[in-house]
Amino acid sequence: MTNLSLKILSLRSNVVTAASFIRSIHHESALHRSSGGPPKLSPYDVNNILRANEHTQEFFGGSVKCYDSNQLASNSPIEDSRSEATCAHTAGLLLGIFDGHGGPACSQVISKRLMRYIAASLVPPDDLRQHLLNGAQSFSFLNCHNDKLEFVSEIKELYEKSFLQFANELTNTTLAGFQMHQTLENAFVRLDQDLSREAIEMPSLRTMSVAMSGAVALVAHIDGPHLHVASVGDCSAVLGTVTDTGQWVAKKLTNEHNSDNVGEVRRLLSEHPATERDTVIRGERLLGQLAPLRAMGDFRYKWSREQLEQLVVPQFGEQVIAPYYLTPPYLSACPEITHHILTPRDKFLIIASDGLWDTMSAMQTVHLVGEHMYGKAFLQPLTLPKHDITLGEISQMLSTRKAGLQKKPLDRNAATHLIRNALGGTEYGIEHSKLSHMLSLPQDIVRLFRDDITITVVYFDSEYLRNCPT
């Protein structure tokens, strides 16, 4: 399944080069282990691995100043995907985290397609109709940042056809009935329906590899002071807010859709007969197999038994049908949506796959990013105010800067800073030997110790939020 999914997208050379470097480092570590010595990664090697996929994007004007993003693989290939884009025809910024399972195919596909579905949905129907008449394609609705993936031509044509059908249907809606919650929900559900239809009507190795894998997804849309977060599964979004007394507060904007969520379990049980009460969730997993209770793809938990027997069993075997598979669908792609109006006290947003949250709490991440944000300020050149200033005031500024330089972070990128702490953090600070060990684990056991980690940290412009209307 994994090998098939790699043929859906092509990857440009710069990421391959970074992956090759990491493989060479791991090979060298393996030589150390085979010779009886401990795995050794120098600080230089560690930094190269941690920074291989980092990215920073700055903005001018609006509520977002910039964002930092990064990824660190555990699976090979990585099953996480991420996407960030500015809407081409509206003022919105879209940021997404996608955590795949059963291979990377589904997460890679929805990371590109879902953002396009959302961006087109935000264009007023009359304007959208005109764009389509002028030959607009799915990619023309987004200005993507740090996008290194492209669909292979065969699958690209199929996906484009589905998008244009969806976009043309949007032109028949009315602007008066626009609701952001409904718009996000429709985009998630419709893309999932398209993934299903494409696999059923045009079965191939590529469409079926997407259909049989799955992904949880989290998308944040920011437009001025309005922040919407839509989520299926167990990625999380945390808002970093500072109080009047300078204390950091972590505000969680998402709920994990798994068996630990009592409300989610009740929802799922209510959708099936009482006779299935003991079989819908077994061993804290859906039908005893899948941890998230909402996800995109994973049609082995959504299609009818007849469809599975006709389309899937001949290729993947009888084991593809879960025990006690009686009243599908068992899995939903409908997102839970949160709306938050940003204030000047809201300083940043952290969105990440569960590879981060497995290692640290929301409060820990907010403290780390808050300290990083403060320390990073001292990496900038010193600028004096334009008004008259005394020598005493200059002396005080220099003293403050000297003290602050002691707190300057090792990484400029906040997402990298979080990954470094997630893997090497101790109560006494970063421990290089721990970090070196976690980054040099052989491929056959690394997944036992850490998951793929994908993080985006979004910084808000407090001055803009102080003056903009809500």
Side-chain angles (χ1 to χ4, degrees):
M1 181 72 70
T2 301
N3 290 335
L4 296 176
S5 63
L6 287 178
K7 298 178 183 178
I8 294 173
L9 299 111
S10 59
L11 193 60
R12 294 177 191 161
S13 60
N14 53 344
V15 174
V16 174
T17 301
S20 300
F21 173 80
I22 294 172
R23 282 196 297 271
S24 69
I25 291 296
H26 286 176
H27 175 68
E28 185 176 333
S29 297
L31 293 178
H32 278 287
R33 287 192 298 276
S34 64
S35 63
K40 297 287 187 180
L41 291 177
S42 70
Y44 175 82
D45 294 332
V46 166
N47 289 339
N48 276 308
I49 293 173
L50 292 181
R51 296 169 182 171
N53 295 309
E54 67 179 11
H55 178 74
T56 295
Q57 188 75 35
E58 295 183 351
F59 301 94
F60 301 96
S63 56
V64 175
K65 291 195 295 186
C66 65
Y67 72 77
D68 291 338
S69 68
N70 201 354
Q71 286 184 294
L72 181 71
S74 170
N75 295 291
S76 180
I78 187 172
E79 293 184 339
D80 280 7
S81 294
R82 39 132 297 276
S83 186
E84 306 95 38
T86 304
C87 296
H89 304 293
T90 67
L93 174 66
L94 287 165
L95 308 110
I97 301 287
F98 309 90
D99 186 352
H101 45 264
C106 188
S107 70
Q108 289 179 341
V109 166
I110 65 173
S111 71
K112 291 182 71 70
R113 297 182 69 185
L114 181 57
M115 312 294 260
R116 297 173 181 183
Y117 276 49
I118 295 172
S121 302
L122 298 174
V123 179
D126 289 344
D127 293 345
L128 179 60
R129 186 179 300 109
Q130 192 59 50
H131 288 308
L132 295 175
L133 288 173
N134 292 336
Q137 301 291 295
S138 63
F139 59 82
S140 64
F141 288 89
L142 289 174
N143 295 317
C144 294
H145 311 297
N146 191 36
D147 186 7
K148 300 181 178 69
L149 296 172
E150 187 55 69
F151 294 125
V152 296
S153 57
E154 175 190 332
I155 209 77
K156 184 176 182 179
E157 293 175 6
L158 174 63
Y159 292 163
E160 195 64 29
K161 182 179 178 181
S162 294
F163 172 83
L164 291 176
Q165 182 178 339
F166 170 62
N168 276 293
E169 291 174 15
L170 289 174
T171 64
N172 297 321
T173 60
T174 59
L175 185 61
F178 176 84
Q179 290 186 343
M180 191 64 184
H181 282 66
Q182 193 63 50
T183 297
L184 291 169
E185 182 179 309
N186 287 345
F188 271 73
V189 173
R190 175 53 181 268
L191 176 56
D192 200 58
Q193 292 171 346
D194 283 351
L195 294 175
S196 173
R197 178 183 51 78
E198 290 157 1
I200 292 172
E201 296 180 0
M202 289 149 284
S204 69
L205 293 177
R206 292 187 174 109
T207 57
M208 289 302 293
S209 69
V210 175
M212 289 299 99
S213 60
V216 298
L218 184 152
V219 174
H221 177 263
I222 307 168
D223 186 354
H226 295 281
L227 166 63
H228 288 85
V229 177
S231 175
V232 292
D234 54 10
C235 295
S236 294
V238 175
L239 194 64
T241 301
V242 67
T243 67
D244 287 338
T245 58
Q247 301 299 308
W248 286 108
V249 175
K251 181 175 182 180
K252 199 168 181 187
L253 301 179
T254 50
N255 297 305
E256 289 81 21
H257 302 129
N258 55 33
S259 60
D260 293 330
N261 183 333
V262 175
E264 187 68 7
V265 171
R266 288 174 179 166
R267 176 197 65 79
L268 182 59
L269 293 178
S270 71
E271 295 173 357
H272 300 276
T275 53
E276 294 185 65
R277 188 171 187 85
D278 295 330
T279 58
V280 171
I281 297 179
R282 295 186 300 125
E284 300 183 346
R285 290 174 174 262
L286 181 70
L287 298 176
Q289 296 184 346
L290 190 68
L293 303 184
R294 299 192 202 190
M296 302 186 74
D298 284 318
F299 294 105
R300 59 182 294 193
Y301 305 108
K302 298 174 182 176
W303 286 344
S304 68
R305 177 177 281 270
E306 291 72 24
Q307 288 173 311
L308 291 176
E309 289 174 344
Q310 292 173 12
L311 294 168
V312 185
V313 169
Q315 187 173 352
F316 295 91
E318 289 284 349
Q319 69 274 9
V320 78
I321 303 179
Y324 306 103
Y325 196 81
L326 304 173
T327 57
Y330 289 93
L331 193 62
S332 172
C334 185
E336 187 173 359
I337 298 165
T338 301
H339 176 217
H340 176 81
I341 297 179
L342 296 167
T343 73
R345 293 179 181 175
D346 298 321
K347 302 302 180 183
F348 52 81
L349 173 72
I350 305 168
I351 60 175
S353 60
D354 67 344
L356 174 67
W357 310 113
D358 287 343
T359 64
M360 60 178 61
S361 68
M363 195 68 246
Q364 285 175 309
T365 63
V366 166
H367 274 298
L368 284 168
V369 174
E371 291 171 358
H372 180 268
M373 184 177 68
Y374 178 74
K376 193 166 65 170
F378 292 98
L379 297 177
Q380 305 301 320
L382 176 64
T383 55
L384 297 176
K386 295 181 180 179
H387 61 78
D388 293 338
I389 185 170
T390 67
L391 288 175
E393 289 171 328
I394 293 176
S395 177
Q396 181 61 44
M397 289 176 63
L398 292 174
S399 297
T400 302
R401 183 174 177 82
K402 182 178 179 181
L405 284 171
Q406 298 175 5
K407 299 181 179 180
K408 69 178 181 180
L410 183 60
D411 302 294
R412 286 183 176 270
N413 187 294
T416 307
H417 180 67
L418 285 176
I419 294 174
R420 188 183 296 274
N421 279 272
L423 300 185
T426 70
E427 58 182 314
Y428 305 107
I430 301 294
E431 184 179 297
H432 174 73
S433 61
K434 180 182 178 184
L435 190 54
S436 172
H437 175 70
M438 292 296 286
L439 291 175
S440 59
L441 291 167
Q443 191 59 53
D444 56 341
I445 67 167
V446 62
R447 188 60 182 82
L448 300 174
F449 292 87
R450 59 180 178 86
D451 198 357
D452 298 331
I453 302 176
T454 302
I455 306 170
T456 300
V457 180
V458 188
Y459 291 97
F460 301 117
D461 188 326
S462 299
E463 283 304 310
Y464 176 92
L465 293 173
R466 186 171 289 111
N467 298 304
C468 73
T470 58

